Amino acid sequence: MKLFTPTLLALGLLLCSPGFAQVASQDFDSIMLYTLKNSSGTTVTVTNYGAIITSIVVADRDGNMGDIALGYNSADDYMNAVDKPYFGAVVGRYGNRIAKGKFSINDVEYTLAVNNGENSLHGGIIGFDKVVWDATPVGDNALTLTYLAKDGEEGYPGNLVVSVTYTLTEENELKMHYQATTDATTPVNLTNHTYFNLKGEGEGTILGHELMLNAKKFTPVDEGLIPTGELRDVDGTPFDFTTAKAIGRDIEEENEQLTFGGGYDHNWVLDKEGKEGEMTLAARVKEPTTGRVLEVYTTEPGVQFYCGNFLDGRLKGKAGKPYVHRSGLCLETQHYPDSPNQPNFPSTLLEPGEKYDTTTVFKFSAE
Ligand code: BGC
């Protein structure tokens, strides 16, 4: 059994000297746990299984430290839990859904592994969240994880060399830099699937968190959560987060899109205002009782806001508390779902000789 127990986790933390951001590692066979730490005491732990962020410990407005990322204490749980909600993982080769697991490139049809009804979700049956990555510490505050996804893996064309570098800065930012190259044209859409609860993991629902999304449009879906192709105005709908509001405020409104998603589980079209491909603010979340704030910046054109509608209390977290319905929220920066089948969406195709290069930043503070 491969384990990273709280004790070993604590050992990892001990290896970090205060005052400097440091990366420390523990070896559990091939599954490792790495700790990034900065001088304000923020710590982020990452495992090379699925490039998963297993914890993010940050201060609240009174300086109390708390772990705001849902997850488990052992590698075994990540691998064998009854349900696999992609806690903290990098999802790929294609984050979110591809309709019926099919797409064509130059009139050649590809068939993917299908794992979500008739659709392919988050890279298929064994996506990037369920493989072991190679890990290399970079300097004293960063970690690069690399994976070779072979031609044909889960049905995708092309050998894809993919990497993500996590950097924890002194400004309390966790930077995620994704890069990839391929030897055959292939769709690529990488994101991180951390579930946040700014009160602390296991501390009830996220319905009181106040969310702002920098988006005037979203991509409505059908019953299978596949985009219809429309970019719809959020104005006058429960999907309007242009000014911050509690996530729970409109979530029970009668609305076909909320019914299809079982709540919010949609892609918002970020307002890039001519700054396509540049880093812009995507989202801001504040938890009023602790004052903890998360800001998300990204070079990506979209963000999937998913509010843990499929959590149902069966999974227990790091402190042994059940992850109840809507007890975590994901802000998955990305290209839009099903882009390979949607001619009007920005392309996700990576060609040989090109470099996939995107960055997303989670910035933590308290007020
Ligand atoms: C999807 C949800 C899915 C969840 C898996 C999200 O990115 O949009 O529909 O259930 O990931 O945990």
Side-chain angles (χ1 to χ4, degrees), residues 95-220:
N96 215 283
R97 292 174 178 80
I98 294 182
K100 299 189 169 69
K102 286 195 189 295
F103 62 89
S104 296
I105 301 173
N106 298 330
D107 295 331
V108 178
E109 187 177 76
Y110 294 92
T111 301
L112 303 174
V114 157
N115 60 336
N116 186 250
E118 58 178 8
N119 303 318
S120 184
L121 173 67
H122 295 332
I125 297 165
I126 304 179
F128 294 178
D129 60 296
K130 296 181 188 70
V131 297
V132 178
W133 297 54
D134 287 330
T136 314
V138 184
D140 57 7
N141 66 336
L143 181 72
T144 296
L145 297 138
T146 309
Y147 177 65
L148 165 65
K150 298 249 175 66
D151 181 30
E153 199 171 302
E154 300 297 305
Y156 287 94
N159 291 293
L160 186 79
V161 178
V162 50
S163 74
V164 57
T165 299
Y166 293 116
T167 306
L168 181 64
T169 72
E170 284 299 303
E171 287 73 45
N172 260 350
E173 299 159 325
L174 177 60
K175 284 194 182 169
M176 294 163 288
H177 182 203
Y178 302 90
Q179 290 176 292
T181 52
T182 183
D183 60 6
T185 308
T186 183
V188 185
N189 190 29
L190 304 174
T191 189
N192 178 275
H193 208 297
T194 293
Y195 288 64
F196 292 97
N197 186 325
L198 300 183
K199 271 190 280 183
E201 58 95 24
E203 297 298 327
T205 79
I206 47 75
L207 295 173
H209 287 45
E210 294 157 2
L211 173 68
M212 186 284 296
L213 292 173
N214 189 15
K216 292 189 209 54
K217 291 181 189 293
F218 75 112
T219 52

Side-chain angles (χ1 to χ4, degrees), residues 14 29 35 65 77 87 91 128 132 142 145 150 169 246 258 275 281 284 290 301 303 315 356 358:
L14 281 177
D29 298 335
T35 302
M65 304 306 283
D77 282 341
F87 288 146
V91 291
F128 294 178
V132 178
L145 297 138
K150 298 249 175 66
T169 72
L258 286 174
K275 295 192 174 150
L281 180 67
R284 187 176 199 273
T290 58
V303 65
L315 301 174
Y356 177 95
T358 71

Side-chain angles (χ1 to χ4, degrees), residues 20-38:
F20 296 95
Q22 285 220 348
V23 53
S25 68
Q26 297 288 316
D27 191 349
F28 313 108
D29 298 335
S30 62
I31 309 294
M32 313 269 284
L33 187 65
Y34 297 83
T35 302
L36 308 177
K37 184 168 178 154
N38 70 13

Side-chain angles (χ1 to χ4, degrees), residues 346-363:
S347 171
T348 50
L349 291 184
L350 182 70
E351 308 281 350
E354 285 180 351
K355 194 156 205 174
Y356 177 95
D357 192 305
T358 71
T359 302
T360 291
V361 171
F362 294 147
K363 184 171 171 55

Side-chain angles (χ1 to χ4, degrees), residues 84-86 96-97 121-122 193 195 225 265 304 306 310 332:
K84 297 193 179 56
Y86 303 88
N96 215 283
R97 292 174 178 80
L121 173 67
H122 295 332
H193 208 297
Y195 288 64
L225 297 182
D265 188 359
Q304 182 85 10
Y306 167 63
F310 295 109
E332 301 157 66

Side-chain angles (χ1 to χ4, degrees), residues 54-56 67 69-73 78 201 316-320 323:
T54 59
S55 73
I56 302 175
D67 184 353
L70 274 59
Y72 304 116
N73 289 321
Y78 282 99
E201 58 95 24
K316 289 202 177 73
K318 287 168 269 185
Y323 288 151

